[in-house]
């Protein structure tokens, strides 16, 4: 009996029934219903695990590989069980996630954490559970007539061991959403969270340990050197989420072992507003996308283009939109801090550089507050008159700063986007369908959202990924399953095969047949 099957039989688990009946235990209640942790249990458990060293991680990878061979690919039931276990563990630690991320950031809105880390990851699990059976099915493919009555189909196999490297900005979702799809595809997984969010990295480790054995899923935490060693491991696939510059380093490291990579990178995502679209609606939607997580979002609208004559009115609408969303900033628990001093200084430098070079900075500060640098909460700002010579238009902003440009014609805005690196997202605001289609076909971006921001990320049935400098490959939905799956083309020969007729020695009707098919 394979281990996967064995596992299913030994775990006639009541929790699966709980889920089916909608009675999933959550956080505090679940924590209370768990057996009391052993004193020092965390530390003991930690000691049993492999260290986050090059040797320790290589040893776990090797154990996972061996287990893949001895246990075979997990079947549908075993994969569903893995998804259930992950779901339960996330729910159990929901409050821990909220606390950890807020500690790491200084302040992270509880609502943003529940929406963007917990709910999105659980939605990925739900969507996967609903479709896994269909995704795993072999796909019949057309057979070349000359090979008939042979039959062709694609078999879906796990790749083996998948590595996941995650960034700090949505540290839970970007570590666990790839895990969902890698597990659904039947893989074992090693995860390297960001060292910039250490408390969250710990909770990710706890979530994983509560649900999985070390040879199923393992988390490796530590400093920069852990990431470097991790990226050099000979995985069967490596998914990296992070900056474009580090993406290049990761791809070089992976190339040494010919490890295929999915790179989920960043970039400058434009928002373009058309001539007739409501400025109030555009400002609300753009500021909502910009200020979620204080702009520290890979798909945050980075800068805006709108008709020249509408810039001033748009700035006023942005002020009103911010005042409605965040009447105050300093003590508002829903306004998130910048993750650390280095990033806070980086953003302050963009503003200083822009001002030095002649740009006008407009503060969106409804209660006219002073925000201490210590709190790392940053006043949202619009930059008018920004040029490509300013760092704010060179680098991905990743903070609450929004350059706003006026265009003379839509062509000008499209030309600007097309003459810059391909963005991860593009936002277009217009109610005219034909112009919408024109902008979508004339520009290339990882994804796009028409008349809103960010929401395309949360659609589990759509692939998510960049293009060119904003990334390669994709995950979420069926494409997520396929990213971590080997699609193996198999031909099943028939005992009535006539293929001998086209094999050596070439005599009889073959010459006539070839003349017919490819000419004299
Ligand atoms: P980063 O590239 O600095 O780090 C990402 C991860 O790589 C971290 O775990 C880090 O420890 C590790 N790392 C850093 N240097 C490394 C090296 N030399 N070798 C091996 N590993 C290394 O990115 P970040 O600052 O954590 O995240 C912000 C960036 O991520 C932004 O550019 C953002 O746009 C991008 N991002 C992209 C997506 C997406 O889905 N496309 C999502 C979130 C963030």
């Amino acid at each position: 009996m394979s281990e996967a099957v064995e596992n299913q039989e030994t775990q006639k688990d009541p929790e699966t029934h709980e889920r089916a009946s909608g009675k999933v235990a959550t956080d505090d209640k679940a924590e209370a219903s768990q057996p009391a942790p052993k004193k020092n249990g965390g530390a003991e458990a930690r000691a049993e695990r492999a260290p986050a060293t090059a040797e320790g991680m290589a040893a776990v990878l090797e154990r996972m590989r061996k287990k893949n061979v001895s246990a075979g690919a997990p079947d549908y039931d075993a994969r569903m069980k893995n998804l259930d276990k992950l779901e339960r563990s996330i729910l159990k630690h929901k409050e821990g996630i909220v606390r950890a991320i807020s500690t790491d950031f200084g302040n992270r809105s509880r609502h943003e954490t529940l929406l963007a880390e917990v709910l999105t990851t659980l939605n990925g699990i739900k969507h996967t559970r609903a479709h896994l059976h269909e995704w795993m099915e072999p796909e019949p493919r057309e057979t070349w007539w000359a090979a008939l009555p042979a039959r062709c189909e694609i078999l879906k196999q796990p790749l083996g061991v998948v590595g996941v490297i995650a960034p700090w900005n949505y540290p839970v979702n970007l570590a666990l959403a790839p895990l969902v799809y890698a597990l659904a595809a039947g893989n074992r997984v090693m995860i390297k969270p960001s060292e910039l969010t250490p408390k969250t990295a710990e909770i990710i480790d706890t979530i994983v340990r509560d649900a999985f054995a070390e040879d199923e899923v393992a988390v490796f935490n530590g400093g920069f050197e852990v990431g470097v060693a991790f990226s050099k491991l000979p995985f069967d696939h490596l998914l990296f989420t992070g900056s474009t510059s580090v993406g290049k380093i990761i791809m070089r490291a992976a190339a040494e072992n010919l490890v295929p990579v999915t790179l989920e990178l960043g970039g400058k995502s434009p928002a373009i507003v058309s001539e007739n679209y409501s400025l109030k609606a555009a400002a609300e939607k753009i500021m909502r996308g910009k200020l979620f997580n204080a702009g520290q979002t890979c798909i945050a609208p980075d800068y805006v283009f709108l008709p020249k004559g509408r810039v001033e009115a748009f700035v006023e609408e942005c002020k009103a939109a911010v005042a409605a969303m965040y009447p105050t900033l300093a003590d508002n628990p829903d306004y998130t801090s910048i993750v650390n001093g280095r990033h806070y200084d980086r953003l302050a430098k963009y503003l200083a550089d822009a001002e030095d070079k002649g740009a006008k900075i407009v503060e969106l500060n409804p209660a006219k507050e002073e925000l201490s640098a210590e709190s790392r909460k940053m006043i949202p700002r619009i930059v008018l008159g920004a040029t490509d010579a300013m760092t704010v238009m060179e680098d991905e902003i990743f903070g609450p700063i929004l350059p706003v440009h006026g265009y003379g014609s839509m062509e000008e805005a499209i030309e600007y986007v097309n003459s810059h690196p391909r963005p991860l997202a593009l936002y277009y605001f217009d109610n005219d369908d034909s112009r919408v289609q024109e902008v979508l076909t004339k520009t290339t971006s990882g994804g796009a959202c028409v008349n809103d921001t960010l929401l395309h990320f949360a659609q589990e049935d759509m692939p998510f990924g960049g293009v060119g400098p904003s990334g390669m490959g994709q995950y979420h939905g069926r494409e997520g399953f396929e990213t971590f799956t080997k699609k193996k083309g198999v031909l099943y020969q028939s005992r009535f095969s006539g293929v001998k007729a086209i094999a050596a020695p070439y005599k009889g009707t073959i010459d006539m047949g070839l003349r017919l098919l490819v000419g004299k």
Side-chain angles (χ1 to χ4, degrees), residues 438-502:
E438 196 182 330
V439 170
L440 291 177
T441 48
K442 283 185 173 170
T443 54
T444 304
S445 55
C449 188
V450 177
N451 295 339
D452 215 329
T453 54
L454 309 190
L455 271 181
H456 62 298
F457 176 87
Q459 310 313 309
E460 282 303 322
D461 204 21
M462 293 213 289
F464 180 80
V467 55
S470 58
M472 64 178 68
Q474 59 264 310
Y475 71 121
H476 288 199
R478 175 187 279 277
E479 283 78 7
F481 174 85
E482 288 180 350
T483 286
F484 302 117
T485 294
K486 167 64 191 159
K487 291 172 100 177
K488 184 157 82 178
V490 182
L491 179 140
Y492 299 90
Q493 187 52 283
S494 156
R495 80 180 87 141
F496 304 112
S497 162
V499 167
K500 225 175 151 190
I502 54 169

Side-chain angles (χ1 to χ4, degrees), residues 238-300:
L238 179 58
L239 183 141
F240 166 82
T241 305
S243 58
T244 301
S245 56
V246 176
K248 290 180 190 172
I249 300 171
I250 298 295
M251 197 165 171
R252 271 199 290 274
E256 277 302 309
N257 296 307
L258 288 181
V259 173
V261 288
T262 300
L263 300 179
E264 299 283 343
L265 309 177
K268 294 180 82 63
S269 298
I272 306 175
V273 183
S274 70
E275 190 69 53
N276 305 315
Y277 195 81
S278 150
L279 285 185
K280 181 175 173 4
E284 276 171 15
K285 292 164 179 189
I286 290 171
M287 291 320 297
R288 193 158 70 211
K290 187 69 176 182
L291 297 187
F292 196 89
N293 207 25
Q296 302 164 105
T297 304
C298 57
I299 48 170

